[in-house]
Amino acid sequence: MRTSEIPEGGFRTPGRAEHLKRGRLCGRGRSGFSTRHLHRAHDGFEPGPAFSPEWPWGKPITVPCLAAAVVEPKREQVLRFCAQDPVERVFLEDVARRGLGRFVGLPDDASGLRALCHLGVNVVPSGDGCEAFARDTARAAPRMLIGEASAVTDLWEASRDRLPAPREDRPAQPVFLIREPPPPGDTDLRPATLDDLELLMPACAAAHEQELGLDPLRRDADGFRWRTRSQIEEDRSWLWEEDGVILFKAEASAWTPDAVQLQQVWVDPEVRRRGYGARGLSDLCRLLLDRVPAVCLFVRSENAPAIRLYEAIGMEHVLDYRSLLF
């Protein structure tokens, strides 16, 4: 952290002090100390207190000029941070364990982190002080800003002048969690195979459009097909179908030793309201809870039918996400 030796009080020359107050003075003054940090307080920089009329003859004090130092954390730091809240931070931990994406963090006082942010197509902040990641977020030019609601709000308020206006803001998206296996659904749920790819593609695309408001087959059909195929090959896709009709399907968007996060829970429209969703999700949660302590997912707050489904099988609302879509 850079510091400047600054005496208490203010400058004897009012004009120069006024320049400092307005943040116009950069570079080095006649005294030899650097004032370059003073013009970017909104980027995490903070000027010190006023200056002494007796300076440089008065007694100087050392004042930190940086509000926070953003670092590129080590993998071990990321995993320790995620372990403090393995449900809220399940995506961050999954990405770190797979060696994907880029992270920035804020150190705490004990060689750990007090805040973390994944930078990519999705920017995902977590922890206290996420406004410090504003510059890195702008450089990432994300399509979505998503994560725990207060962390996202802090980061958005600090970076909104550098990002385009969001096409959609979704506050208070409830995150649901289950730790105890629900009653069996008595389904034929199974892992999806590559033979199911053509059946799954339209359903996955429809679920994606429903969740994000964009048709992935128009935006990037080849990329979406590759991602759907990868989910199957990584054993992160499950399906219950009869005669080509999808009674239930879902994928894992994140998987760690402590939790699995589900996405794109889907039942074909023509067979909805027959209990297939609850039965399929019950059996999937039972399957996953044999392998991890918790299963979670999040949902749009206005999706009342989905919320009723999750509550019906015993899932509990444990926290809120917020997402901004660009």
Side-chain angles (χ1 to χ4, degrees), residues 247-276:
L247 305 182
F248 176 85
K249 73 101 186 162
E251 287 80 45
S253 56
W255 194 319
T256 74
D258 292 307
V260 171
Q261 184 182 76
L262 298 177
Q263 68 172 7
Q264 295 194 354
V265 174
W266 178 266
V267 175
D268 276 350
E270 63 267 30
V271 290
R272 290 177 183 172
R273 297 185 179 88
R274 302 183 188 181
Y276 294 134

Side-chain angles (χ1 to χ4, degrees), residues 177-186 277-290 295 309-315:
L177 173 73
I178 189 167
R179 295 187 182 275
E180 296 296 327
D186 297 322
R279 292 171 60 193
L281 185 59
S282 291
D283 279 356
L284 179 55
C285 289
R286 290 174 63 85
L287 175 71
L288 293 173
L289 288 171
D290 277 341
V295 176
L309 165 63
Y310 306 147
E311 291 175 340
I313 72 161
M315 302 188 90

Side-chain angles (χ1 to χ4, degrees), residues 283-305:
D283 279 356
L284 179 55
C285 289
R286 290 174 63 85
L287 175 71
L288 293 173
L289 288 171
D290 277 341
R291 305 171 67 178
V292 295
V295 176
C296 61
L297 50 76
F298 63 96
V299 62
R300 298 174 67 164
S301 58
E302 66 270 23
N303 192 345

Side-chain angles (χ1 to χ4, degrees), residues 125-279:
S126 179
D128 298 323
C130 289
E131 60 272 14
F133 306 132
R135 181 181 297 180
D136 294 285
T137 296
R139 289 173 176 171
R143 293 181 181 175
M144 181 160 58
L145 179 56
I146 184 170
E148 191 274 324
S150 62
V152 169
T153 297
D154 290 345
L155 179 53
W156 169 239
E157 292 303 321
S159 59
R160 62 189 307 160
D161 291 340
R162 308 176 183 202
L163 295 172
R167 59 182 174 85
E168 194 168 351
D169 183 356
R170 299 175 179 173
Q173 293 181 277
V175 177
F176 284 89
L177 173 73
I178 189 167
R179 295 187 182 275
E180 296 296 327
D186 297 322
T187 71
D188 292 325
L189 184 77
R190 59 177 174 79
T193 70
L194 290 179
D195 290 337
D196 301 310
L197 181 60
E198 298 306 322
L199 175 63
L200 284 171
M201 278 291 293
C204 290
H208 181 98
E209 184 173 8
Q210 180 177 296
E211 290 179 4
L212 301 180
L214 295 172
D215 183 354
L217 298 181
R218 289 187 177 183
R219 186 169 190 169
D220 182 9
D222 290 340
F224 188 75
R225 184 180 184 86
W226 176 83
R227 289 191 295 274
T228 304
R229 182 186 182 98
S230 296
Q231 292 273 42
I232 295 172
E233 292 176 334
E234 294 169 5
D235 296 324
R236 292 184 174 214
S237 178
W238 298 270
L239 174 66
W240 175 27
E241 62 87 20
E242 289 182 3
D243 300 324
V245 177
I246 297 177
L247 305 182
F248 176 85
K249 73 101 186 162
E251 287 80 45
S253 56
W255 194 319
T256 74
D258 292 307
V260 171
Q261 184 182 76
L262 298 177
Q263 68 172 7
Q264 295 194 354
V265 174
W266 178 266
V267 175
D268 276 350
E270 63 267 30
V271 290
R272 290 177 183 172
R273 297 185 179 88
R274 302 183 188 181
Y276 294 134
R279 292 171 60 193

Side-chain angles (χ1 to χ4, degrees), residues 40-148:
R40 295 303 295 275
H42 62 282
D43 280 339
F45 292 81
E46 292 180 348
F51 298 84
S52 171
E54 292 77 28
W55 184 83
W57 302 277
K59 183 179 179 181
I61 58 173
T62 300
V63 178
C65 296
L66 283 175
V70 175
V71 300
E72 292 194 9
K74 297 179 181 179
R75 182 176 184 270
E76 293 75 17
Q77 289 178 298
V78 173
L79 295 181
R80 286 201 304 271
F81 177 82
C82 293
Q84 296 169 16
D85 197 333
V87 172
E88 183 238 308
R89 300 165 183 172
V90 60
F91 171 82
L92 297 171
E93 182 175 349
D94 176 70
V95 171
R97 288 184 178 276
R98 300 167 77 186
L100 304 174
R102 177 182 168 234
F103 289 96
V104 288
L106 285 181
D108 62 15
D109 296 329
S111 74
L113 299 172
R114 64 185 179 95
L116 181 70
C117 188
H118 170 262
L119 302 171
V121 174
N122 295 340
V123 165
V124 185
S126 179
D128 298 323
C130 289
E131 60 272 14
F133 306 132
R135 181 181 297 180
D136 294 285
T137 296
R139 289 173 176 171
R143 293 181 181 175
M144 181 160 58
L145 179 56
I146 184 170
E148 191 274 324

